[in-house]
């Protein structure tokens, strides 16, 4: 912790005094970003991870602002997809052990993140058809004997919060127990015990894989998925659950590891420990980190004194560099799985999941300054 405080102090010395935001200003930024996205992109798209990640942000906007028009966008998306992820009906054909976008990849996390939004919409207006597929698929997974479902870091955002939402929906502790068993497997292949950070998947574990400068290669968006996912898990996990301290410790360790690697300008580079691997701004990882850290401070899991400078720098980057005049959120690394040397990321680089991450961070910042 002492080294973390020193690192944060050094960064604070080169950071200008944080601007004081009002809730009206933050709310206006949220509306600007979300209106731009919804105006320029149809709701009627598939329920795969990238679109679904946007909707996790949009649902947070509705929770905060109670804007029915914004909520209707998510309802239209869910209806378009018949409240389903991948649609294969025969469990004997369901897959998950490698990447796949086909309708038989029912157990693959990229097709399960949609259930987060479906459950949220059900809770606002109960109707059994909204959660029927979630109950079928996630119930199957919870009852299965294998635990190797989450073999890439992104899945920890895609599916961990589904498990805790399923617990809240059903009251069945089997979803929490399966969450714990599944993440133990993830930890065994991706977690770096020295830093508390996650490699994107088994291909990138050090020293088998290194950056060009010989360093550990932690992908910012990958660890952003994990930190944000853990924050969402702790929101819904009962504090008296026997494994809750395990998740708190994991979340706090990751938060400390993330804070140490922030750049002075407020962002995290795509390869977190080696800025030279893929230099320049990146928004999706930064926004997920900002959200994850804000949630921890707002809910008493992280020290405000320690993490406020990190949060303010990240927010400054998100609002002064990433956010464009027209409401576009730029500098989002395109879909991928690692920091790619030479890849162009600029003010026009926008993506659905990047907007979702920005909205999550902005909603939590609104709460942060409301306290």
């Amino acid at each position: 912790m002492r080294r973390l405080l020193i690192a944060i102090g050094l960064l604070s010395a080169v950071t200008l005094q944080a601007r004081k935001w009002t809730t009206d200003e933050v709310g206006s930024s949220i509306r600007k970003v979300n209106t731009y996205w919804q105006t320029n992109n149809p709701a009627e798209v598939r329920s795969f991870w990238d679109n679904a990640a946007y909707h996790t942000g949009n649902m947070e906007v509705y929770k905060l602002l109670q804007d029915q028009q914004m909520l209707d966008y998510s309802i239209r998306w869910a209806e378009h997809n018949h409240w389903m992820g991948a649609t294969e009906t025969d469990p004997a054909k369901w897959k998950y052990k490698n990447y796949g976008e086909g309708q038989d990849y029912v157990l693959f996390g990229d097709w399960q993140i949609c259930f987060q939004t479906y459950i949220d919409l059900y809770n606002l207006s109960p109707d059994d058809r909204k959660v029927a597929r979630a109950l079928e698929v996630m119930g199957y997974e919870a009852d299965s004997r294998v635990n190797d479902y989450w073999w890439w870091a992104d899945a920890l955002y895609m599916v961990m919060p589904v498990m805790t939402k399923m617990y809240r929906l059903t009251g069945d502790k089997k979803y929490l127990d399966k969450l714990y068993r599944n993440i133990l497997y993830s930890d065994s292949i991706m977690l770096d015990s020295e830093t508390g950070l996650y490699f994107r998947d088994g291909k990138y574990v050090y020293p088998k894989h290194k950056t060009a400068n010989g360093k550990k290669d932690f992908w910012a968006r990958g660890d952003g998925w994990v930190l944000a996912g853990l924050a969402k898990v702790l929101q819904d996990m009962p504090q008296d659950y026997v494994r809750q301290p395990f998740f708190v410790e994991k979340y706090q360790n990751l938060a400390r590891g993330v804070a140490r690697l922030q750049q002075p300008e407020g962002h995290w580079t795509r390869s977190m420990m080696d800025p030279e691997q893929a230099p320049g701004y990146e928004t999706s990882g930064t926004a997920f980190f900002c959200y994850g850290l804000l949630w921890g401070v707002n809910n008493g899991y992280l020290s405000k004194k320690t993490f406020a400078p990190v949060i303010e720098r990240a927010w400054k980057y998100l609002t002064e560099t990433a956010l464009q005049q027209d409401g576009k959120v730029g500098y989002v690394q395109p879909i991928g799985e690692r920091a790619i040397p030479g890849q162009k990321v600029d003010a026009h680089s926008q993506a659905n999941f990047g907007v979702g991450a920005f909205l999550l961070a902005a909603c939590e910042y609104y709460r942060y300054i409301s306290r």
Side-chain angles (χ1 to χ4, degrees), residues 166-178:
M166 290 297 298
Y167 165 76
R168 289 292 182 187
L169 178 69
T170 66
D172 195 331
K173 194 166 68 69
K174 73 179 182 181
Y175 292 102
L176 302 180
D177 293 340
K178 190 65 171 183

Side-chain angles (χ1 to χ4, degrees), residues 90-253:
D90 183 358
K93 298 178 181 178
W94 291 356
K95 298 177 182 178
Y96 69 90
K97 288 194 173 183
N98 50 33
Y99 180 86
E101 299 185 20
Q103 296 302 320
D104 51 348
Y105 276 80
V106 176
L107 299 173
F108 183 47
D110 286 7
W111 279 117
Q112 295 176 329
I113 178 177
C114 59
F115 297 141
Q116 292 188 41
T117 296
Y118 299 168
I119 294 169
D120 288 348
L121 290 170
Y122 171 89
N123 289 335
L124 290 172
S125 179
D127 180 342
D128 288 350
R129 71 190 178 92
K130 297 177 180 178
V131 293
R133 184 61 166 177
L135 286 164
E136 178 187 19
V137 171
M138 302 317 298
Y140 178 97
E141 183 167 326
D143 291 336
S144 67
R145 295 185 178 183
V146 298
N147 303 306
D148 59 349
Y149 291 100
W150 305 338
W151 47 264
W152 73 113
D154 314 35
L156 300 184
Y157 183 84
M158 310 305 171
V159 199
M160 285 200 305
V162 176
M163 289 299 200
T164 47
K165 288 178 184 292
M166 290 297 298
Y167 165 76
R168 289 292 182 187
L169 178 69
T170 66
D172 195 331
K173 194 166 68 69
K174 73 179 182 181
Y175 292 102
L176 302 180
D177 293 340
K178 190 65 171 183
L179 163 60
Y180 175 70
R181 292 194 298 272
N182 281 2
I183 199 172
L184 286 183
Y185 173 79
S186 302
D187 287 359
S188 73
I189 62 171
M190 292 184 287
L191 177 63
D192 180 61
S193 58
E194 180 185 20
T195 61
L197 301 172
Y198 280 78
F199 296 106
R200 194 272 179 179
D201 60 54
K203 299 191 300 294
Y204 299 103
V205 174
Y206 182 89
K208 180 175 67 176
H209 171 83
K210 305 175 185 178
T211 68
N213 292 319
K215 298 181 180 181
K216 293 179 179 179
D217 195 6
F218 296 111
W219 182 46
R221 187 158 68 234
D223 276 285
W225 290 126
V226 182
L227 187 68
L230 288 168
K232 282 176 159 285
V233 160
L234 291 172
Q235 289 176 40
D236 286 331
M237 181 176 284
Q239 293 193 359
D240 61 356
Y241 176 57
V242 65
R243 303 298 183 185
Q244 195 259 5
F246 166 87
F247 287 93
V248 171
E249 181 180 17
K250 176 180 296 296
Y251 166 76
Q252 292 173 335
N253 285 342

Side-chain angles (χ1 to χ4, degrees), residues 339-354:
I340 303 171
Q343 184 181 37
K344 181 180 179 181
V345 176
D346 61 24
H348 302 290
S349 302
Q350 186 180 27
N352 40 17
F353 53 87

